[in-house]
Amino acid sequence: MSQERRYSFEFFPTKTDAGHEKLLATARQLAGYNPDFFSCTYGAGGSTRDRTVNTVLQLESEVKIPAAPHLSCVGDSKADLRGLLQQYQAAGIKRIVALRGDLPSGMGMASGELRHANDLVSFIREETGSHFHIEVAAYPEMHPQARNFEDDLRNFVRKANAGADSAITQYFFNADSYFYFVERVQKMGVNIPIVPGIMPITNYSKLARFSDACGAEIPRWIRKQLEAYGDDSASIQAFGEQVISEMCERLLQGGAPGLHFYTLNQADPSLAIWNNLKLPR
């Protein structure tokens, strides 16, 4: 689509047929905006593997937008991963989001033959050469399980050096954290595109739970304003749309190579931001 920037949307596989139909309807609506790709998440320990595979194959074959499955190494053997890679290659999938993955509840340490995301990136390269464009995760505000920020920066550099083509960040609400992260890793010799992950604000209580779990900081001024709206969902959405649109505008003006929207399987919140920014179609 765009030569200079790329725009993408992320979905999560659903547990019900009705939810799956809604996901596909959302994808078809977003397809009208000609995104560069759709990504699809992969539950803790590969718990949604089959649903992820099915969703990705449908997005690719029916919705006609390139699909990028998440692939994590927690809980999976090399043989499992090899089988998935072969299945995706056969289906014409060209992009993979390579992650260590979340640990399932009760799993104290990572299991599986590969322990870290950089190991997974290396494995994909060894198995498939340059077939896949490999995305990795970036954490501008530090991975919640990292020992410290410097250690997390080194982890990211290892992933990039293992063969990643580009990165997608965890969502954030402070553009400075993104710019600082990019500046730091560039000084460490990493120059792959790092695309900001964007989370629309539509529900404060859900956002607060998500953010506490994944280490995304909600700035005090945003938190306090959202709290002040109480159950006024219209005001929360209007305020959220304005805040995120302004942040995205600053990110793009500052040189961000695109945007990756965490849709939560809804089209309208992301499209409101897209239209405010007058992004290409």
Side-chain angles (χ1 to χ4, degrees), residues 102-181:
D102 295 327
L103 301 177
S105 179
M107 185 187 287
M109 291 290 290
S111 68
E113 295 177 69
L114 305 176
R115 301 292 293 273
H116 304 288
N118 61 287
D119 298 325
L120 178 58
V121 173
S122 296
F123 178 76
I124 295 171
R125 284 285 174 242
E126 290 163 7
E127 292 291 320
T128 65
S130 60
H131 175 84
F132 291 109
H133 180 112
I134 301 178
E135 304 275 359
V136 292
Y139 296 87
E141 296 175 322
M142 196 178 86
H143 190 286
Q145 294 171 343
R147 285 178 292 185
N148 55 60
F149 189 63
E150 298 299 320
D151 197 47
D152 204 36
L153 289 172
R154 287 190 289 270
N155 286 340
F156 179 78
V157 171
R158 276 192 287 272
K159 290 188 287 190
N161 290 342
D165 294 291
S166 55
I168 299 169
T169 77
Q170 175 61 276
Y171 71 86
F172 54 87
F173 300 109
N174 180 352
D176 287 333
S177 66
Y178 168 82
F179 291 125
Y180 181 71
F181 179 88

Side-chain angles (χ1 to χ4, degrees), residues 236-257:
I236 289 172
Q237 290 182 30
F239 173 72
E241 180 185 323
Q242 177 186 352
V243 165
I244 300 301
S245 296
E246 289 175 355
M247 182 184 75
C248 288
E249 187 170 18
R250 188 177 165 213
L251 289 167
L252 294 173
Q253 287 176 348

Side-chain angles (χ1 to χ4, degrees), residues 24-79:
L24 291 177
T26 298
R28 291 186 183 100
Q29 183 178 352
L30 294 172
Y33 287 72
N34 197 26
D36 290 276
F37 66 93
F38 291 143
S39 68
C40 186
T41 64
Y42 192 74
S47 58
T48 65
R49 181 188 297 114
D50 291 343
R51 293 197 298 276
T52 297
V53 171
N54 292 338
T55 300
V56 165
L57 296 182
Q58 274 193 284
L59 290 173
E60 182 85 19
S61 64
E62 296 179 23
V63 186
K64 306 296 185 184
I65 294 292
H70 285 210
L71 191 64
S72 68
C73 53
V74 168
D76 274 351
S77 68
K78 288 183 178 179

